[in-house]
Amino acid sequence: MAVNGKHVRKPSRRERRSKRLIILLLLVAVAAVGIAVWAVSVRGRDEQTTDLTPDYAPQQEESAESMGDEGDEKLEAAEGGGAVSLTYSVDVSVALSEETVSLYFGNPSRSTENIVLQLVIQDTVIMQSGLIEPGSQVSTLRLLDGAAELLEPGGYDGKFVVLYYDPETEARAIVTTEIPVTITVTE
């Protein structure tokens, strides 16, 4: 074949196939990079919507009631440390229509630390109490805003996450406790 008086060789079948393969691989690479960027941006957005755990004690839980165990001797704790004795049930119920959580969780008078209780399903905090002082218990708490839209009626494996706060400084302790629970969600 001649173009402007010069002879141009026609690409062979193998060369055309190689060019197509290179173009296809480039398209796959661009698509993979696009998917990776999308996944990171979506994951980052999800992590931003997760409730943050307060570093200092929040307000006292309004629905907390006395356990009636006043006068019990406090647990012994090492200097600068704390000790807790928890009372709870591993069966939890969520009523979507009322946006409430029915549970039993107590922080007996023997404890030396205040607590905050979270209910977590699939790494998402759906409920968080206010401060529960020693000698107090809770049986009904509210779902966090938007949590009802994330759930469907049925059974879930979840966990209580217990956060500890020094009653004097109100600073959060490094230690947390995770307790596996069974959650039944109803309309």
Side-chain angles (χ1 to χ4, degrees):
M1 176 195 260
V3 176
N4 291 337
K6 294 184 178 178
H7 184 66
V8 178
R9 182 177 69 84
K10 185 176 179 183
S12 70
R13 181 179 227 156
R14 177 181 252 172
E15 291 172 332
R16 286 186 301 224
R17 216 182 284 166
S18 294
K19 284 183 181 181
R20 285 184 189 146
L21 182 60
I22 289 171
I23 291 171
L24 179 64
L25 289 174
L26 284 173
L27 288 175
V28 169
V30 168
V33 168
I35 290 171
V37 167
W38 173 80
V40 167
S41 68
V42 168
R43 172 175 251 164
R45 201 173 321 128
D46 288 345
E47 289 172 359
Q48 291 170 357
T49 60
T50 301
D51 286 340
L52 298 175
T53 303
D55 292 322
Y56 295 95
Q59 293 181 339
Q60 187 170 357
E61 177 55 51
E62 294 176 5
S63 67
E65 305 168 335
S66 173
M67 291 183 73
D69 65 347
E70 293 82 12
D72 283 358
E73 192 174 312
K74 292 284 186 189
L75 295 169
E76 289 186 32
E79 178 90 19
V84 293
S85 169
L86 304 174
T87 305
Y88 56 89
S89 172
V90 295
D91 296 317
V92 178
S93 298
V94 174
L96 294 176
S97 60
E98 298 170 17
E99 295 191 12
T100 58
V101 179
S102 297
L103 53 94
Y104 175 74
F105 204 97
N107 185 13
S109 293
R110 296 182 55 178
S111 298
T112 64
E113 300 288 303
N114 296 329
I115 65 169
V116 168
L117 180 66
Q118 294 179 331
L119 181 60
V120 179
I121 297 177
Q122 300 172 4
D123 296 326
T124 300
V125 178
I126 63 165
M127 180 225 59
Q128 180 171 298
S129 74
L131 195 67
I132 303 170
E133 295 178 340
S136 300
Q137 64 186 7
V138 291
S139 58
T140 304
L141 295 168
R142 305 270 322 147
L143 287 172
L144 292 175
D145 290 340
E149 289 80 37
L150 301 174
L151 300 171
E152 295 290 329
Y156 294 84
D157 290 327
K159 62 185 172 184
F160 285 139
V161 175
V162 185
L163 311 168
Y164 302 100
Y165 291 85
D166 184 292
E168 292 177 20
T169 65
E170 296 186 350
R172 184 166 58 99
I174 297 171
V175 177
T176 62
T177 300
E178 294 186 3
I179 303 166
V181 294
T182 302
I183 303 164
T184 303
V185 177
T186 60
E187 284 293 331

